Amino acid sequence: MIVAQAAGDPRFFRWDWVWGHLDLIGAKVLEHLVLTGIALGVGLAVSFALALVGLRFPRTYQPITWVTGLLYTIPSLALFAFLVPVTGFTTLTAEIGLVSYTLLILIRNIVAGVQGIDPAVRESALGMGYGRRRLFIEIELPLALPVILAGLRIAAVTTIGLVTVTALIGKGGVGFFILRGLNRFFDTEIVLGTALSVLLAVAVDLVLVTTERWLTPWSRTRGAG
Amino acid sequence: MPEPMISLEGVTKVFPGSAAPAVDNLTLEVAAGEVAVLVGHSGCGKTTTLKMINRLIDPTSGRITVAGEDVMTVPAPELRRRIGYVIQQIGLFPHRTIADNIATVPRLLGWDRTRIDERTDELIALVDLDPALRNRYPRELSGGQRQRAGVARALAADPPVLLMDEPFGAVDPIVRSRLQDELLDLQRRLHKTIVLVTHDIDEAIKLGDRVAILQVGGVLAQHDSPAAILRDPAGPFVEEFLGSDRGIKRLSLMPIRDVPLEPGPVVSRAADPEEARAAMARYGVDWFGILDDGNLEGWAWAADLEQGPIASLPARSFRVRLGYDDSLRDALDTVITSHTGVAPVFDGERFVGMLTAEAISRELAR
Ligand SMILES: Nc1ncnc2c1ncn2[C@@H]1O[C@H](COP(=O)(O)OP(=O)(O)OP(=O)(O)O)[C@@H](O)[C@H]1O
Ligand SMILES: [Mg+2]
């Protein structure tokens, strides 16, 4: 019944349907943001830990990128399929997948950011009596920030797209609409889900760009006066 | 010699994977308040030597003490906070303002805000930086300004020792010369113990109280005052390193004050023409200076004597005059370019005598 009702409508996009389901849309957008936020947060934490290991013990860097690179190449559909028997239809399953796709980009950018710092800056910092920890927190990290944030932007956009796939395991954020639309041949939901996903990606990217400008005032040229 | 501020005893550094040592059994002492310059060709181990003092590089063997303390017994960060460090690229922190950059070591030492702010202002004035630059980022400064900020940062916690690795290498010659003068001026006020690395022998001569000339492998070729090195180079390597204009370089270290001056063909206003002719004959010149009450008023040609008594002659003014503290290097230019081959020397306004080209070459031959 429902399927026939929806599919029978000749209009490509039904705004009235959208207005009638604002609560559901809001809830799915929020879920999308939460899934993305957790994935990026956990991804950053894990990446920092692994990047630190890679920076401190250069020999480990190669294997770390190798493993995370391998994770990155696994098709997302397959990854979730593998995980479901172990962790079920849960947020955990979704996040394991999402986080693993952020690692390669984030680790690479953290390491590249830190390694790209002018050696003279590091030398003068050490020469003035910085210890390793403070050197990392006060000097290396802020100076690597533009490169790290560039990585975070790519990871964020990628993750927002991938979240839609987790609809298959009962999550999915706005991907929920895409999947349901596909199932019942209802174009409005497919278009809505896709458009929202793209809009979210653009919005989050804008937020991150703004954050970067705000966090790195030193890299801007100041206007006269 | 009193207890040296810095001493290296038989210090050797062999980098892993290289057969020959970068620094080989180097023994060197730097007295408190002295500017010691390490100079030598590229790759001879100057930077390595400097970095072993603040432990950015650990020696393979030998002993280094700073203020009597073996550097290996002090935790490296603690040691480094007591030693100012300036490198060629300066390495200001791009993400911190000039004031924050200068405050680096005081912050590491945990000074309170007010004390840090006061000290920062003091240092900005000390190195002659425009206070308006206080809250600028390093990229907004010129090369010379960055260099001053780098020196201010190194001096922030008032360390007794300053290590400088080619500090003026990245600025153009005119700015370099001014920064060198400023460093000398600072040093006259602060009396730090400075070890400065350069590959420019002229900079070494200008800045060093003593200069250590290193040969490849960090072998000490000579360690002495610039004047002594220029006078008695310790072998063909040093001689070659000093260059063919070694004599001229020596002159730049000698003030006119140290050279015996000639009274010159000078007579007083009251003298009669015969006295003036005798004075000119003595020096083989056709002009004479006119003294009025001990003041050198000017000079006149022998031919002017025909016009009347000396007392009434108009005094021509000297186009060249030398100061008592000018170097013989400056004097040489003046004396050679004046067609008379002599130049009057003044101590302030007081005429002290004439400097001749012969006097300069006599001095060189000593
Ligand atoms: N970290 C290092 N590892 C291996 N070899 C090094 C290292 N640092 C310096 N060396 C070598 O040690 C020697 C001395 O180097 P050092 O940097 O002390 O020379 P320098 O006198 O400062 O030269 P320059 O005037 O070019 O700065 C060189 O042969 C150099 O290649
Ligand atoms: Mg060097």
Side-chain angles (χ1 to χ4, degrees):
Chain A
M1 269 290 267
I2 297 172
V3 171
Q5 195 184 36
D9 193 282
R11 277 173 297 167
F12 173 65
F13 194 80
R14 284 178 44 193
W15 282 106
D16 59 322
W17 187 91
V18 173
W19 301 136
H21 295 80
L22 281 182
D23 283 354
L24 182 63
I25 293 170
K28 290 302 175 187
V29 166
L30 186 66
E31 183 189 55
H32 207 116
L33 286 175
V34 170
L35 285 170
T36 306
I38 294 175
L40 293 178
V42 175
L44 262 183
V46 174
S47 299
F48 259 109
L50 290 174
L52 280 177
V53 172
L55 284 167
R56 190 80 182 82
F57 309 100
R59 278 175 179 203
T60 63
Y61 183 55
Q62 198 72 38
I64 289 172
T65 50
W66 195 79
V67 171
T68 52
L70 194 70
L71 280 177
Y72 195 70
T73 59
I74 300 177
S76 47
L77 273 174
L79 184 63
F80 292 121
F82 286 139
L83 285 171
V84 166
V86 187
T87 45
F89 288 83
T90 59
T91 306
L92 181 64
T93 308
E95 291 297 352
I96 291 176
L98 295 174
V99 166
S100 34
Y101 287 110
T102 64
L103 298 181
L104 181 65
I105 294 163
L106 291 176
I107 291 174
R108 273 204 184 166
N109 279 55
I110 295 169
V111 170
V114 170
Q115 284 178 343
I117 293 169
D118 180 359
V121 167
R122 191 177 283 111
E123 184 187 329
S124 70
L126 287 173
M128 282 184 292
Y130 267 93
R132 287 216 164 267
R133 257 175 63 108
R134 278 184 88 161
L135 177 72
F136 183 74
I137 294 168
E138 292 181 25
I139 309 291
E140 294 182 322
L141 197 55
L143 289 178
L145 211 56
V147 182
I148 296 176
L149 286 176
L152 188 64
R153 282 172 60 192
I154 300 173
V157 170
T158 312
T159 305
I160 288 172
L162 267 178
V163 165
T164 59
V165 178
T166 63
L168 288 169
I169 53 168
K171 303 293 162 193
V174 300
F176 165 82
F177 298 115
I178 301 176
L179 187 64
R180 205 171 66 168
L182 284 169
N183 282 337
R184 49 186 202 172
F185 305 104
F186 182 30
D187 289 344
T188 298
E189 277 191 311
I190 301 174
V191 173
L192 177 76
T194 309
L196 283 176
S197 178
V198 170
L199 279 178
L200 277 177
V202 172
V204 167
D205 198 48
L206 267 176
V207 169
L208 287 176
V209 173
T210 314
T211 312
E212 179 186 340
R213 288 179 61 89
W214 178 69
L215 283 176
T216 59
W218 71 86
S219 58
R220 282 200 303 273
T221 322
R222 207 187 299 233
Chain B
M1 187 162 144
E3 172 96 345
M5 183 57 112
I6 300 171
S7 102
L8 283 73
E9 299 161 30
V11 172
T12 296
K13 175 68 190 182
V14 187
F15 283 106
S18 71
V23 175
D24 196 3
N25 196 20
L26 180 63
T27 296
L28 199 66
E29 290 190 344
V30 181
E34 172 181 45
V35 179
V37 177
L38 302 179
V39 65
H41 296 302
S42 183
C44 70
K46 306 180 293 291
T47 296
T48 305
T49 304
L50 199 71
K51 285 184 174 176
M52 286 192 288
I53 298 173
N54 68 0
R55 285 193 57 191
L56 283 175
I57 294 176
D58 283 338
T60 309
S61 63
R63 204 172 99 98
I64 299 176
T65 64
V66 172
E69 204 171 11
D70 187 334
V71 295
M72 298 309 285
T73 63
V74 188
E78 202 183 307
L79 175 81
R80 293 174 190 153
R81 289 171 199 175
R82 302 199 299 236
I83 299 178
Y85 189 50
V86 182
I87 55 178
Q88 177 176 341
Q89 311 84 337
I90 307 166
L92 290 175
F93 303 145
H95 63 305
R96 291 201 175 152
T97 62
I98 296 308
D100 286 343
N101 263 285
I102 293 175
T104 301
V105 180
R107 286 222 303 234
L108 286 171
L109 293 171
W111 291 14
D112 64 57
R113 259 308 271 283
T114 13
R115 186 170 169 211
I116 290 179
D117 284 347
E118 277 169 21
R119 180 63 180 154
T120 306
D121 289 336
E122 200 177 305
L123 286 157
I124 286 175
L126 183 74
V127 300
D128 208 18
L129 261 183
D130 181 355
L133 300 177
R134 206 178 190 285
N135 297 317
R136 294 284 186 88
Y137 289 107
R139 65 197 295 263
E140 301 171 299
L141 268 61
S142 73
Q145 291 168 335
R146 283 181 211 177
Q147 212 287 336
R148 291 198 182 92
V151 171
R153 183 172 70 167
L155 290 171
D158 206 15
V161 173
L162 209 54
L163 306 180
M164 310 180 94
D165 194 346
E166 308 209 22
F168 311 122
V171 290
D172 66 73
I174 294 170
V175 177
R176 182 181 313 153
S177 162
R178 202 172 63 229
L179 291 171
Q180 288 168 346
D181 291 335
E182 286 176 12
L183 180 70
L184 286 174
D185 186 50
L186 268 183
Q187 173 62 357
R188 269 190 287 276
R189 285 182 277 163
L190 302 179
H191 309 292
K192 300 289 178 192
T193 304
I194 299 178
V195 183
L196 185 143
V197 162
T198 178
H199 55 247
D200 176 1
I201 182 66
D202 291 309
E203 182 168 87
I205 291 168
K206 179 171 175 183
L207 298 178
D209 294 316
R210 283 195 301 162
V211 173
I213 299 179
L214 297 183
Q215 253 167 296
V216 174
V219 176
L220 191 60
Q222 190 168 11
H223 183 206
D224 213 327
S225 70
I229 290 178
L230 288 165
R231 190 175 55 237
D232 299 312
F237 174 81
V238 176
E239 214 164 314
E240 166 100 44
F241 188 76
L242 295 173
S244 51
D245 59 345
R246 175 160 68 89
I248 305 281
K249 287 184 173 119
R250 270 183 72 194
L251 291 180
S252 66
L253 292 173
M254 301 175 180
I256 294 173
R257 193 179 282 279
D258 292 354
V259 181
L261 298 174
E262 306 273 347
V266 169
V267 295
S268 76
R269 276 272 181 210
D272 58 54
E274 281 320 306
E275 265 182 75
R277 290 201 178 90
M280 287 187 280
R282 228 176 4 259
Y283 288 92
V285 293
D286 56 355
W287 61 272
F288 60 95
I290 302 169
L291 274 177
D292 186 18
D293 211 9
N295 264 334
L296 189 65
E297 249 195 294
W299 61 280
W301 291 113
D304 292 342
L305 287 172
E306 309 302 326
Q307 294 170 16
I310 294 174
S312 67
L313 288 183
R316 300 164 194 272
S317 57
F318 282 98
R319 263 181 305 155
V320 293
R321 37 191 299 146
L322 291 166
Y324 218 5
D325 291 313
D326 289 352
S327 75
L328 287 185
R329 175 78 184 79
D330 302 326
L332 188 64
D333 278 339
T334 310
V335 168
I336 283 177
T337 52
S338 84
H339 63 281
T340 57
V342 300
V345 180
F346 295 84
D347 186 7
E349 282 307 305
R350 189 174 61 89
F351 172 66
V352 284
M354 294 280 184
L355 182 68
T356 62
E358 295 86 72
I360 296 175
S361 53
R362 218 173 24 246
E363 210 52 37
L364 263 186
R366 287 213 304 170

